[in-house]
Amino acid sequence: MGARPRAERGRAGGAGRGDGWEEPEIERYVARWAGRRVVVEREDRDGGSEPPYPVRVRGVAGG
């Protein structure tokens, strides 16, 4: 049997957004305190919106 082809750099398999040659989309997020909670919003052309997926905020608790 012949050698298996070597996977290209990066993630192999799975559903992706193209073959990696297209310019990536820029996503901008804003984090702010609301009382004792940290609120994360996605900034887009229409203003702010909820992020499309869960966001993990790391840092010093309580400032």
Side-chain angles (χ1 to χ4, degrees):
M1 296 207 162
R4 295 177 75 189
R6 192 170 154 189
E8 294 183 31
R9 275 185 88 168
R11 194 176 120 185
R17 298 180 98 188
D19 59 6
W21 292 101
E22 295 178 25
E23 193 69 27
E25 290 184 33
I26 296 174
E27 295 182 354
R28 172 169 269 150
Y29 292 87
V30 177
R32 61 182 170 80
W33 285 102
R36 297 187 66 177
R37 295 181 55 214
V38 176
V39 177
V40 178
E41 293 179 331
R42 182 176 179 183
E43 227 179 49
D44 51 25
R45 293 181 181 149
D46 301 327
S49 63
E50 188 173 317
Y53 41 83
V55 176
R56 178 181 296 171
V57 178
R58 298 188 302 175
V60 179

